[in-house]
PDB file of all heavy atoms in Angstrom:
ATOM      1  N   GLN A  39     -29.233   8.451  36.982  1.00  0.00           N
ATOM      2  CA  GLN A  39     -27.985   8.284  36.232  1.00  0.00           C
ATOM      3  C   GLN A  39     -28.235   7.984  34.750  1.00  0.00           C
ATOM      4  O   GLN A  39     -27.284   7.818  33.978  1.00  0.00           O
ATOM      5  CB  GLN A  39     -27.109   7.202  36.863  1.00  0.00           C
ATOM      6  CG  GLN A  39     -26.483   7.678  38.176  1.00  0.00           C
ATOM      7  CD  GLN A  39     -25.483   6.688  38.755  1.00  0.00           C
ATOM      8  OE1 GLN A  39     -25.105   5.712  38.127  1.00  0.00           O
ATOM      9  NE2 GLN A  39     -25.051   6.962  39.977  1.00  0.00           N
ATOM     10  N   ASP A  42     -26.817  10.834  32.282  1.00  0.00           N
ATOM     11  CA  ASP A  42     -26.055  11.800  33.087  1.00  0.00           C
ATOM     12  C   ASP A  42     -24.637  11.952  32.538  1.00  0.00           C
ATOM     13  O   ASP A  42     -23.737  12.441  33.204  1.00  0.00           O
ATOM     14  CB  ASP A  42     -26.025  11.378  34.566  1.00  0.00           C
ATOM     15  CG  ASP A  42     -25.098  10.187  34.800  1.00  0.00           C
ATOM     16  OD1 ASP A  42     -24.852   9.416  33.839  1.00  0.00           O
ATOM     17  OD2 ASP A  42     -24.619  10.003  35.934  1.00  0.00           O
ATOM     18  N   ASP A  43     -24.416  11.500  31.268  1.00  0.00           N
ATOM     19  CA  ASP A  43     -23.134  11.654  30.600  1.00  0.00           C
ATOM     20  C   ASP A  43     -22.029  10.829  31.259  1.00  0.00           C
ATOM     21  O   ASP A  43     -20.869  11.201  31.251  1.00  0.00           O
ATOM     22  CB  ASP A  43     -22.728  13.144  30.550  1.00  0.00           C
ATOM     23  CG  ASP A  43     -21.855  13.440  29.325  1.00  0.00           C
ATOM     24  OD1 ASP A  43     -21.763  12.571  28.447  1.00  0.00           O
ATOM     25  OD2 ASP A  43     -21.267  14.535  29.264  1.00  0.00           O
ATOM     26  N   TYR A  44     -22.412   9.695  31.839  1.00  0.00           N
ATOM     27  CA  TYR A  44     -21.423   8.730  32.331  1.00  0.00           C
ATOM     28  C   TYR A  44     -21.978   7.344  32.037  1.00  0.00           C
ATOM     29  O   TYR A  44     -23.140   7.054  32.326  1.00  0.00           O
ATOM     30  CB  TYR A  44     -21.167   8.889  33.837  1.00  0.00           C
ATOM     31  CG  TYR A  44     -20.033   7.990  34.290  1.00  0.00           C
ATOM     32  CD1 TYR A  44     -18.717   8.448  34.257  1.00  0.00           C
ATOM     33  CD2 TYR A  44     -20.280   6.685  34.711  1.00  0.00           C
ATOM     34  CE1 TYR A  44     -17.662   7.614  34.633  1.00  0.00           C
ATOM     35  CE2 TYR A  44     -19.231   5.849  35.085  1.00  0.00           C
ATOM     36  CZ  TYR A  44     -17.931   6.318  35.040  1.00  0.00           C
ATOM     37  OH  TYR A  44     -16.882   5.493  35.406  1.00  0.00           O
ATOM     38  N   ASP A  46     -22.748   3.762  32.656  1.00  0.00           N
ATOM     39  CA  ASP A  46     -22.801   2.801  33.759  1.00  0.00           C
ATOM     40  C   ASP A  46     -23.126   1.393  33.285  1.00  0.00           C
ATOM     41  O   ASP A  46     -22.697   0.426  33.904  1.00  0.00           O
ATOM     42  CB  ASP A  46     -23.864   3.247  34.778  1.00  0.00           C
ATOM     43  CG  ASP A  46     -23.440   4.499  35.516  1.00  0.00           C
ATOM     44  OD1 ASP A  46     -22.430   4.437  36.249  1.00  0.00           O
ATOM     45  OD2 ASP A  46     -24.101   5.550  35.351  1.00  0.00           O
ATOM     46  N   SER A  57     -23.051  10.754  24.397  1.00  0.00           N
ATOM     47  CA  SER A  57     -22.002  10.006  23.698  1.00  0.00           C
ATOM     48  C   SER A  57     -21.188   9.150  24.661  1.00  0.00           C
ATOM     49  O   SER A  57     -20.135   8.638  24.293  1.00  0.00           O
ATOM     50  CB  SER A  57     -21.071  10.992  22.982  1.00  0.00           C
ATOM     51  OG  SER A  57     -20.474  11.858  23.946  1.00  0.00           O
ATOM     52  N   ALA A  58     -21.679   8.991  25.911  1.00  0.00           N
ATOM     53  CA  ALA A  58     -20.826   8.388  26.936  1.00  0.00           C
ATOM     54  C   ALA A  58     -20.538   6.908  26.719  1.00  0.00           C
ATOM     55  O   ALA A  58     -19.489   6.423  27.120  1.00  0.00           O
ATOM     56  CB  ALA A  58     -21.449   8.596  28.311  1.00  0.00           C
ATOM     57  N   SER A  79     -21.551   7.577  18.989  1.00  0.00           N
ATOM     58  CA  SER A  79     -20.342   8.329  18.638  1.00  0.00           C
ATOM     59  C   SER A  79     -20.695   9.587  17.858  1.00  0.00           C
ATOM     60  O   SER A  79     -19.890  10.504  17.759  1.00  0.00           O
ATOM     61  CB  SER A  79     -19.390   7.451  17.825  1.00  0.00           C
ATOM     62  OG  SER A  79     -19.976   7.074  16.607  1.00  0.00           O
ATOM     63  N   GLN A  80     -21.900   9.620  17.298  1.00  0.00           N
ATOM     64  CA  GLN A  80     -22.274  10.791  16.501  1.00  0.00           C
ATOM     65  C   GLN A  80     -23.145  11.771  17.283  1.00  0.00           C
ATOM     66  O   GLN A  80     -23.619  12.764  16.730  1.00  0.00           O
ATOM     67  CB  GLN A  80     -22.984  10.340  15.220  1.00  0.00           C
ATOM     68  CG  GLN A  80     -22.045   9.526  14.322  1.00  0.00           C
ATOM     69  CD  GLN A  80     -22.707   8.979  13.084  1.00  0.00           C
ATOM     70  OE1 GLN A  80     -23.863   9.241  12.802  1.00  0.00           O
ATOM     71  NE2 GLN A  80     -21.950   8.189  12.317  1.00  0.00           N
ATOM     72  N   VAL A  81     -23.360  11.475  18.567  1.00  0.00           N
ATOM     73  CA  VAL A  81     -24.164  12.376  19.394  1.00  0.00           C
ATOM     74  C   VAL A  81     -23.276  13.487  19.938  1.00  0.00           C
ATOM     75  O   VAL A  81     -22.175  13.221  20.441  1.00  0.00           O
ATOM     76  CB  VAL A  81     -24.803  11.587  20.566  1.00  0.00           C
ATOM     77  CG1 VAL A  81     -25.562  12.531  21.492  1.00  0.00           C
ATOM     78  CG2 VAL A  81     -25.724  10.509  20.026  1.00  0.00           C
ATOM     79  N   GLN A  82     -23.732  14.697  19.790  1.00  0.00           N
ATOM     80  CA  GLN A  82     -22.998  15.857  20.295  1.00  0.00           C
ATOM     81  C   GLN A  82     -21.546  15.890  19.830  1.00  0.00           C
ATOM     82  O   GLN A  82     -20.626  16.080  20.619  1.00  0.00           O
ATOM     83  CB  GLN A  82     -23.064  15.890  21.834  1.00  0.00           C
ATOM     84  CG  GLN A  82     -24.433  16.343  22.327  1.00  0.00           C
ATOM     85  CD  GLN A  82     -24.776  15.792  23.689  1.00  0.00           C
ATOM     86  OE1 GLN A  82     -23.887  15.542  24.485  1.00  0.00           O
ATOM     87  NE2 GLN A  82     -26.054  15.598  23.951  1.00  0.00           N
ATOM     88  N   ASP A  83     -21.382  15.701  18.529  1.00  0.00           N
ATOM     89  CA  ASP A  83     -20.041  15.841  17.969  1.00  0.00           C
ATOM     90  C   ASP A  83     -19.959  17.061  17.064  1.00  0.00           C
ATOM     91  O   ASP A  83     -18.995  17.224  16.316  1.00  0.00           O
ATOM     92  CB  ASP A  83     -19.630  14.581  17.192  1.00  0.00           C
ATOM     93  CG  ASP A  83     -20.505  14.319  15.974  1.00  0.00           C
ATOM     94  OD1 ASP A  83     -21.545  14.986  15.832  1.00  0.00           O
ATOM     95  OD2 ASP A  83     -20.144  13.446  15.166  1.00  0.00           O
ATOM     96  N   ASP A  87     -26.633  14.972  12.409  1.00  0.00           N
ATOM     97  CA  ASP A  87     -26.881  13.691  11.754  1.00  0.00           C
ATOM     98  C   ASP A  87     -28.363  13.389  11.632  1.00  0.00           C
ATOM     99  O   ASP A  87     -28.779  12.698  10.722  1.00  0.00           O
ATOM    100  CB  ASP A  87     -26.183  12.562  12.515  1.00  0.00           C
ATOM    101  CG  ASP A  87     -24.675  12.687  12.452  1.00  0.00           C
ATOM    102  OD1 ASP A  87     -24.123  12.439  11.372  1.00  0.00           O
ATOM    103  OD2 ASP A  87     -24.064  13.067  13.458  1.00  0.00           O
ATOM    104  N   ARG A 420     -14.516   8.600 -21.310  1.00  0.00           N
ATOM    105  CA  ARG A 420     -13.469   9.391 -21.919  1.00  0.00           C
ATOM    106  C   ARG A 420     -12.494   8.539 -22.738  1.00  0.00           C
ATOM    107  O   ARG A 420     -12.023   8.933 -23.781  1.00  0.00           O
ATOM    108  CB  ARG A 420     -12.697  10.108 -20.813  1.00  0.00           C
ATOM    109  CG  ARG A 420     -12.638  11.584 -21.055  1.00  0.00           C
ATOM    110  CD  ARG A 420     -11.692  12.298 -20.131  1.00  0.00           C
ATOM    111  NE  ARG A 420     -11.503  11.706 -18.828  1.00  0.00           N
ATOM    112  CZ  ARG A 420     -10.418  11.900 -18.111  1.00  0.00           C
ATOM    113  NH1 ARG A 420      -9.449  12.625 -18.584  1.00  0.00           N
ATOM    114  NH2 ARG A 420     -10.305  11.361 -16.907  1.00  0.00           N
ATOM    115  N   GLU A 494     -13.995   1.137 -12.398  1.00  0.00           N
ATOM    116  CA  GLU A 494     -13.009   0.087 -12.105  1.00  0.00           C
ATOM    117  C   GLU A 494     -12.424   0.367 -10.722  1.00  0.00           C
ATOM    118  O   GLU A 494     -11.281   0.792 -10.610  1.00  0.00           O
ATOM    119  CB  GLU A 494     -11.907   0.101 -13.177  1.00  0.00           C
ATOM    120  CG  GLU A 494     -10.942  -1.063 -13.085  1.00  0.00           C
ATOM    121  CD  GLU A 494      -9.725  -0.887 -13.994  1.00  0.00           C
ATOM    122  OE1 GLU A 494      -9.656   0.136 -14.697  1.00  0.00           O
ATOM    123  OE2 GLU A 494      -8.841  -1.756 -13.969  1.00  0.00           O
ATOM    124  N   PRO A 495     -13.197   0.169  -9.670  1.00  0.00           N
ATOM    125  CA  PRO A 495     -12.720   0.532  -8.335  1.00  0.00           C
ATOM    126  C   PRO A 495     -11.489  -0.270  -7.917  1.00  0.00           C
ATOM    127  O   PRO A 495     -10.639   0.209  -7.192  1.00  0.00           O
ATOM    128  CB  PRO A 495     -13.906   0.242  -7.423  1.00  0.00           C
ATOM    129  CG  PRO A 495     -14.786  -0.670  -8.196  1.00  0.00           C
ATOM    130  CD  PRO A 495     -14.542  -0.400  -9.645  1.00  0.00           C
ATOM    131  N   ASN A 496     -11.425  -1.505  -8.357  1.00  0.00           N
ATOM    132  CA  ASN A 496     -10.282  -2.366  -8.112  1.00  0.00           C
ATOM    133  C   ASN A 496      -9.624  -2.578  -9.435  1.00  0.00           C
ATOM    134  O   ASN A 496     -10.322  -2.720 -10.439  1.00  0.00           O
ATOM    135  CB  ASN A 496     -10.778  -3.736  -7.667  1.00  0.00           C
ATOM    136  CG  ASN A 496     -10.528  -3.995  -6.232  1.00  0.00           C
ATOM    137  OD1 ASN A 496      -9.546  -3.544  -5.675  1.00  0.00           O
ATOM    138  ND2 ASN A 496     -11.436  -4.724  -5.636  1.00  0.00           N
ATOM    139  N   ARG A 497      -8.302  -2.658  -9.446  1.00  0.00           N
ATOM    140  CA  ARG A 497      -7.638  -2.985 -10.694  1.00  0.00           C
ATOM    141  C   ARG A 497      -8.265  -4.232 -11.322  1.00  0.00           C
ATOM    142  O   ARG A 497      -8.352  -5.263 -10.672  1.00  0.00           O
ATOM    143  CB  ARG A 497      -6.164  -3.296 -10.408  1.00  0.00           C
ATOM    144  CG  ARG A 497      -5.134  -2.367 -10.974  1.00  0.00           C
ATOM    145  CD  ARG A 497      -5.190  -2.136 -12.435  1.00  0.00           C
ATOM    146  NE  ARG A 497      -4.882  -0.775 -12.836  1.00  0.00           N
ATOM    147  CZ  ARG A 497      -3.671  -0.330 -13.170  1.00  0.00           C
ATOM    148  NH1 ARG A 497      -2.661  -1.123 -13.134  1.00  0.00           N
ATOM    149  NH2 ARG A 497      -3.498   0.898 -13.540  1.00  0.00           N
ATOM    150  N   GLU A 499     -11.240  -5.081 -11.899  1.00  0.00           N
ATOM    151  CA  GLU A 499     -12.595  -5.489 -11.506  1.00  0.00           C
ATOM    152  C   GLU A 499     -13.530  -4.337 -11.867  1.00  0.00           C
ATOM    153  O   GLU A 499     -13.442  -3.262 -11.290  1.00  0.00           O
ATOM    154  CB  GLU A 499     -12.678  -5.774 -10.010  1.00  0.00           C
ATOM    155  CG  GLU A 499     -12.098  -7.112  -9.640  1.00  0.00           C
ATOM    156  CD  GLU A 499     -12.200  -7.386  -8.142  1.00  0.00           C
ATOM    157  OE1 GLU A 499     -13.188  -6.941  -7.521  1.00  0.00           O
ATOM    158  OE2 GLU A 499     -11.276  -8.017  -7.619  1.00  0.00           O
TER     159      GLU A 499
ATOM    160  N   ASN B 263     -10.152   6.757  -6.841  1.00  0.00           N
ATOM    161  CA  ASN B 263     -10.257   7.036  -8.269  1.00  0.00           C
ATOM    162  C   ASN B 263     -10.885   8.371  -8.634  1.00  0.00           C
ATOM    163  O   ASN B 263     -10.472   9.013  -9.576  1.00  0.00           O
ATOM    164  CB  ASN B 263     -11.055   5.929  -8.947  1.00  0.00           C
ATOM    165  CG  ASN B 263     -10.344   4.607  -8.830  1.00  0.00           C
ATOM    166  OD1 ASN B 263      -9.121   4.564  -8.791  1.00  0.00           O
ATOM    167  ND2 ASN B 263     -11.090   3.525  -8.740  1.00  0.00           N
ATOM    168  N   ASN B 279     -18.775   2.499  11.604  1.00  0.00           N
ATOM    169  CA  ASN B 279     -18.394   3.095  12.883  1.00  0.00           C
ATOM    170  C   ASN B 279     -16.912   2.874  13.195  1.00  0.00           C
ATOM    171  O   ASN B 279     -16.542   2.511  14.308  1.00  0.00           O
ATOM    172  CB  ASN B 279     -19.278   2.530  14.003  1.00  0.00           C
ATOM    173  CG  ASN B 279     -19.528   3.561  15.082  1.00  0.00           C
ATOM    174  OD1 ASN B 279     -19.216   4.755  14.912  1.00  0.00           O
ATOM    175  ND2 ASN B 279     -20.065   3.127  16.205  1.00  0.00           N
ATOM    176  N   PHE B 303     -11.825  15.505 -14.990  1.00  0.00           N
ATOM    177  CA  PHE B 303     -12.908  14.559 -15.226  1.00  0.00           C
ATOM    178  C   PHE B 303     -13.198  13.733 -13.979  1.00  0.00           C
ATOM    179  O   PHE B 303     -14.334  13.531 -13.599  1.00  0.00           O
ATOM    180  CB  PHE B 303     -12.546  13.642 -16.403  1.00  0.00           C
ATOM    181  CG  PHE B 303     -12.462  14.395 -17.688  1.00  0.00           C
ATOM    182  CD1 PHE B 303     -11.256  14.906 -18.135  1.00  0.00           C
ATOM    183  CD2 PHE B 303     -13.613  14.641 -18.437  1.00  0.00           C
ATOM    184  CE1 PHE B 303     -11.183  15.620 -19.315  1.00  0.00           C
ATOM    185  CE2 PHE B 303     -13.542  15.356 -19.618  1.00  0.00           C
ATOM    186  CZ  PHE B 303     -12.330  15.850 -20.062  1.00  0.00           C
ATOM    187  N   GLU B 317     -16.419  18.895   6.638  1.00  0.00           N
ATOM    188  CA  GLU B 317     -17.641  19.032   7.420  1.00  0.00           C
ATOM    189  C   GLU B 317     -17.823  17.874   8.395  1.00  0.00           C
ATOM    190  O   GLU B 317     -18.557  17.988   9.373  1.00  0.00           O
ATOM    191  CB  GLU B 317     -18.859  19.104   6.490  1.00  0.00           C
ATOM    192  CG  GLU B 317     -19.080  20.505   5.955  1.00  0.00           C
ATOM    193  CD  GLU B 317     -20.303  20.601   5.051  1.00  0.00           C
ATOM    194  OE1 GLU B 317     -20.866  19.547   4.688  1.00  0.00           O
ATOM    195  OE2 GLU B 317     -20.674  21.728   4.716  1.00  0.00           O
ATOM    196  N   ILE B 537      -1.420   0.519  -6.561  1.00  0.00           N
ATOM    197  CA  ILE B 537      -2.567   0.576  -7.486  1.00  0.00           C
ATOM    198  C   ILE B 537      -2.950  -0.807  -8.007  1.00  0.00           C
ATOM    199  O   ILE B 537      -4.112  -1.046  -8.331  1.00  0.00           O
ATOM    200  CB  ILE B 537      -2.236   1.550  -8.648  1.00  0.00           C
ATOM    201  CG1 ILE B 537      -3.497   1.913  -9.428  1.00  0.00           C
ATOM    202  CG2 ILE B 537      -1.152   0.978  -9.565  1.00  0.00           C
ATOM    203  CD1 ILE B 537      -3.330   3.111 -10.344  1.00  0.00           C
ATOM    204  N   ASP B 538      -1.999  -1.733  -8.062  1.00  0.00           N
ATOM    205  CA  ASP B 538      -2.308  -3.065  -8.578  1.00  0.00           C
ATOM    206  C   ASP B 538      -2.841  -4.026  -7.520  1.00  0.00           C
ATOM    207  O   ASP B 538      -3.127  -5.183  -7.823  1.00  0.00           O
ATOM    208  CB  ASP B 538      -1.059  -3.697  -9.225  1.00  0.00           C
ATOM    209  CG  ASP B 538      -0.792  -3.117 -10.604  1.00  0.00           C
ATOM    210  OD1 ASP B 538      -1.746  -2.580 -11.197  1.00  0.00           O
ATOM    211  OD2 ASP B 538       0.353  -3.183 -11.068  1.00  0.00           O
ATOM    212  N   LYS B 540      -5.528  -5.454  -4.595  1.00  0.00           N
ATOM    213  CA  LYS B 540      -6.981  -5.478  -4.393  1.00  0.00           C
ATOM    214  C   LYS B 540      -7.360  -4.425  -3.358  1.00  0.00           C
ATOM    215  O   LYS B 540      -6.565  -4.105  -2.483  1.00  0.00           O
ATOM    216  CB  LYS B 540      -7.416  -6.855  -3.893  1.00  0.00           C
ATOM    217  CG  LYS B 540      -7.396  -7.921  -4.946  1.00  0.00           C
ATOM    218  CD  LYS B 540      -7.763  -9.276  -4.340  1.00  0.00           C
ATOM    219  CE  LYS B 540      -9.269  -9.431  -4.197  1.00  0.00           C
ATOM    220  NZ  LYS B 540      -9.972  -9.525  -5.483  1.00  0.00           N
ATOM    221  N   ARG B 541      -8.568  -3.929  -3.467  1.00  0.00           N
ATOM    222  CA  ARG B 541      -9.034  -2.971  -2.460  1.00  0.00           C
ATOM    223  C   ARG B 541      -9.022  -3.670  -1.104  1.00  0.00           C
ATOM    224  O   ARG B 541      -9.293  -4.865  -1.010  1.00  0.00           O
ATOM    225  CB  ARG B 541     -10.458  -2.511  -2.802  1.00  0.00           C
ATOM    226  CG  ARG B 541     -10.508  -1.667  -4.054  1.00  0.00           C
ATOM    227  CD  ARG B 541      -9.932  -0.302  -3.830  1.00  0.00           C
ATOM    228  NE  ARG B 541     -10.857   0.575  -3.198  1.00  0.00           N
ATOM    229  CZ  ARG B 541     -11.383   1.667  -3.779  1.00  0.00           C
ATOM    230  NH1 ARG B 541     -11.064   1.989  -5.017  1.00  0.00           N
ATOM    231  NH2 ARG B 541     -12.212   2.440  -3.124  1.00  0.00           N
ATOM    232  N   ARG B 678     -14.202   7.888  24.595  1.00  0.00           N
ATOM    233  CA  ARG B 678     -15.426   7.963  23.786  1.00  0.00           C
ATOM    234  C   ARG B 678     -15.090   7.853  22.315  1.00  0.00           C
ATOM    235  O   ARG B 678     -14.075   8.360  21.864  1.00  0.00           O
ATOM    236  CB  ARG B 678     -16.136   9.293  24.050  1.00  0.00           C
ATOM    237  CG  ARG B 678     -16.596   9.381  25.491  1.00  0.00           C
ATOM    238  CD  ARG B 678     -17.582  10.486  25.694  1.00  0.00           C
ATOM    239  NE  ARG B 678     -17.995  10.483  27.101  1.00  0.00           N
ATOM    240  CZ  ARG B 678     -18.932  11.260  27.598  1.00  0.00           C
ATOM    241  NH1 ARG B 678     -19.524  12.152  26.817  1.00  0.00           N
ATOM    242  NH2 ARG B 678     -19.260  11.173  28.860  1.00  0.00           N
ATOM    243  N   GLN B 679     -15.989   7.181  21.588  1.00  0.00           N
ATOM    244  CA  GLN B 679     -15.765   7.026  20.152  1.00  0.00           C
ATOM    245  C   GLN B 679     -16.242   8.251  19.399  1.00  0.00           C
ATOM    246  O   GLN B 679     -17.279   8.809  19.702  1.00  0.00           O
ATOM    247  CB  GLN B 679     -16.584   5.847  19.618  1.00  0.00           C
ATOM    248  CG  GLN B 679     -16.132   4.513  20.100  1.00  0.00           C
ATOM    249  CD  GLN B 679     -16.899   3.404  19.395  1.00  0.00           C
ATOM    250  OE1 GLN B 679     -17.530   3.599  18.359  1.00  0.00           O
ATOM    251  NE2 GLN B 679     -16.837   2.211  19.969  1.00  0.00           N
ATOM    252  N   ARG B 680     -15.477   8.602  18.370  1.00  0.00           N
ATOM    253  CA  ARG B 680     -15.915   9.628  17.418  1.00  0.00           C
ATOM    254  C   ARG B 680     -15.504   9.178  16.032  1.00  0.00           C
ATOM    255  O   ARG B 680     -14.607   8.349  15.873  1.00  0.00           O
ATOM    256  CB  ARG B 680     -15.255  10.981  17.714  1.00  0.00           C
ATOM    257  CG  ARG B 680     -15.657  11.629  19.025  1.00  0.00           C
ATOM    258  CD  ARG B 680     -17.112  11.986  19.028  1.00  0.00           C
ATOM    259  NE  ARG B 680     -17.505  12.638  20.283  1.00  0.00           N
ATOM    260  CZ  ARG B 680     -18.765  12.805  20.650  1.00  0.00           C
ATOM    261  NH1 ARG B 680     -19.758  12.344  19.887  1.00  0.00           N
ATOM    262  NH2 ARG B 680     -19.064  13.416  21.788  1.00  0.00           N
ATOM    263  N   ARG B 681     -16.102   9.805  15.001  1.00  0.00           N
ATOM    264  CA  ARG B 681     -15.706   9.384  13.652  1.00  0.00           C
ATOM    265  C   ARG B 681     -14.381  10.004  13.225  1.00  0.00           C
ATOM    266  O   ARG B 681     -13.759   9.556  12.276  1.00  0.00           O
ATOM    267  CB  ARG B 681     -16.804   9.649  12.642  1.00  0.00           C
ATOM    268  CG  ARG B 681     -17.211  11.071  12.492  1.00  0.00           C
ATOM    269  CD  ARG B 681     -18.470  11.183  11.609  1.00  0.00           C
ATOM    270  NE  ARG B 681     -19.454  12.006  12.293  1.00  0.00           N
ATOM    271  CZ  ARG B 681     -20.734  12.030  11.990  1.00  0.00           C
ATOM    272  NH1 ARG B 681     -21.216  11.291  11.033  1.00  0.00           N
ATOM    273  NH2 ARG B 681     -21.562  12.799  12.654  1.00  0.00           N
ATOM    274  N   TRP B 749     -13.235  17.569  30.379  1.00  0.00           N
ATOM    275  CA  TRP B 749     -13.213  17.332  31.820  1.00  0.00           C
ATOM    276  C   TRP B 749     -12.774  15.899  32.061  1.00  0.00           C
ATOM    277  O   TRP B 749     -12.604  15.134  31.114  1.00  0.00           O
ATOM    278  CB  TRP B 749     -14.604  17.598  32.413  1.00  0.00           C
ATOM    279  CG  TRP B 749     -15.738  16.919  31.675  1.00  0.00           C
ATOM    280  CD1 TRP B 749     -16.237  17.291  30.444  1.00  0.00           C
ATOM    281  CD2 TRP B 749     -16.482  15.761  32.063  1.00  0.00           C
ATOM    282  NE1 TRP B 749     -17.236  16.437  30.059  1.00  0.00           N
ATOM    283  CE2 TRP B 749     -17.428  15.498  31.034  1.00  0.00           C
ATOM    284  CE3 TRP B 749     -16.457  14.934  33.192  1.00  0.00           C
ATOM    285  CZ2 TRP B 749     -18.325  14.425  31.101  1.00  0.00           C
ATOM    286  CZ3 TRP B 749     -17.365  13.870  33.259  1.00  0.00           C
ATOM    287  CH2 TRP B 749     -18.281  13.627  32.215  1.00  0.00           C
ATOM    288  N   GLU B 751     -13.676  12.370  33.175  1.00  0.00           N
ATOM    289  CA  GLU B 751     -14.904  11.612  33.456  1.00  0.00           C
ATOM    290  C   GLU B 751     -14.632  10.365  34.289  1.00  0.00           C
ATOM    291  O   GLU B 751     -15.557   9.791  34.861  1.00  0.00           O
ATOM    292  CB  GLU B 751     -15.622  11.233  32.161  1.00  0.00           C
ATOM    293  CG  GLU B 751     -14.938  10.178  31.301  1.00  0.00           C
ATOM    294  CD  GLU B 751     -15.837   9.683  30.158  1.00  0.00           C
ATOM    295  OE1 GLU B 751     -17.063   9.794  30.264  1.00  0.00           O
ATOM    296  OE2 GLU B 751     -15.281   9.193  29.161  1.00  0.00           O
ATOM    297  N   ARG B 752     -13.361   9.945  34.345  1.00  0.00           N
ATOM    298  CA  ARG B 752     -13.121   8.641  34.971  1.00  0.00           C
ATOM    299  C   ARG B 752     -11.657   8.576  35.371  1.00  0.00           C
ATOM    300  O   ARG B 752     -10.780   9.070  34.654  1.00  0.00           O
ATOM    301  CB  ARG B 752     -13.410   7.572  33.916  1.00  0.00           C
ATOM    302  CG  ARG B 752     -13.414   6.145  34.374  1.00  0.00           C
ATOM    303  CD  ARG B 752     -13.628   5.196  33.198  1.00  0.00           C
ATOM    304  NE  ARG B 752     -14.934   5.335  32.571  1.00  0.00           N
ATOM    305  CZ  ARG B 752     -15.151   5.750  31.333  1.00  0.00           C
ATOM    306  NH1 ARG B 752     -14.127   6.050  30.552  1.00  0.00           N
ATOM    307  NH2 ARG B 752     -16.363   5.864  30.846  1.00  0.00           N
ATOM    308  N   VAL B 786     -12.480   2.055  39.642  1.00  0.00           N
ATOM    309  CA  VAL B 786     -12.796   3.216  38.816  1.00  0.00           C
ATOM    310  C   VAL B 786     -13.452   4.277  39.687  1.00  0.00           C
ATOM    311  O   VAL B 786     -14.455   4.004  40.358  1.00  0.00           O
ATOM    312  CB  VAL B 786     -13.752   2.836  37.662  1.00  0.00           C
ATOM    313  CG1 VAL B 786     -14.175   4.079  36.895  1.00  0.00           C
ATOM    314  CG2 VAL B 786     -13.093   1.833  36.738  1.00  0.00           C
ATOM    315  N   ARG B 788     -15.779   7.101  39.789  1.00  0.00           N
ATOM    316  CA  ARG B 788     -16.843   7.478  38.869  1.00  0.00           C
ATOM    317  C   ARG B 788     -17.017   8.991  38.798  1.00  0.00           C
ATOM    318  O   ARG B 788     -17.204   9.659  39.793  1.00  0.00           O
ATOM    319  CB  ARG B 788     -18.164   6.832  39.309  1.00  0.00           C
ATOM    320  CG  ARG B 788     -19.311   7.054  38.341  1.00  0.00           C
ATOM    321  CD  ARG B 788     -20.644   6.536  38.883  1.00  0.00           C
ATOM    322  NE  ARG B 788     -21.682   6.579  37.858  1.00  0.00           N
ATOM    323  CZ  ARG B 788     -22.371   7.674  37.532  1.00  0.00           C
ATOM    324  NH1 ARG B 788     -22.147   8.807  38.172  1.00  0.00           N
ATOM    325  NH2 ARG B 788     -23.283   7.622  36.573  1.00  0.00           N
ATOM    326  N   LYS B 789     -16.887   9.503  37.618  1.00  0.00           N
ATOM    327  CA  LYS B 789     -17.251  10.864  37.255  1.00  0.00           C
ATOM    328  C   LYS B 789     -16.753  11.943  38.207  1.00  0.00           C
ATOM    329  O   LYS B 789     -17.556  12.626  38.848  1.00  0.00           O
ATOM    330  CB  LYS B 789     -18.781  10.948  37.141  1.00  0.00           C
ATOM    331  CG  LYS B 789     -19.237  11.972  36.118  1.00  0.00           C
ATOM    332  CD  LYS B 789     -20.755  12.019  36.044  1.00  0.00           C
ATOM    333  CE  LYS B 789     -21.192  13.143  35.135  1.00  0.00           C
ATOM    334  NZ  LYS B 789     -22.623  13.404  35.235  1.00  0.00           N
TER     335      LYS B 789
END
Side-chain angles (χ1 to χ4, degrees):
Chain A
Q39 287 186 9
D42 73 336
D43 209 11
Y44 186 89
D46 291 296
S57 60
S79 63
Q80 296 176 4
V81 176
Q82 285 153 29
D83 64 350
D87 294 288
R420 234 190 331 155
E494 188 190 359
N496 252 327
R497 245 305 143 92
E499 282 181 34
Chain B
N263 297 329
N279 213 11
F303 294 93
E317 277 181 350
I537 194 165
D538 283 338
K540 286 177 81 68
R541 292 288 280 246
R678 296 195 179 186
Q679 292 186 17
R680 294 295 181 194
R681 60 189 130 198
W749 49 287
E751 70 170 337
R752 188 184 295 115
V786 175
R788 186 187 189 279
K789 211 180 174 191

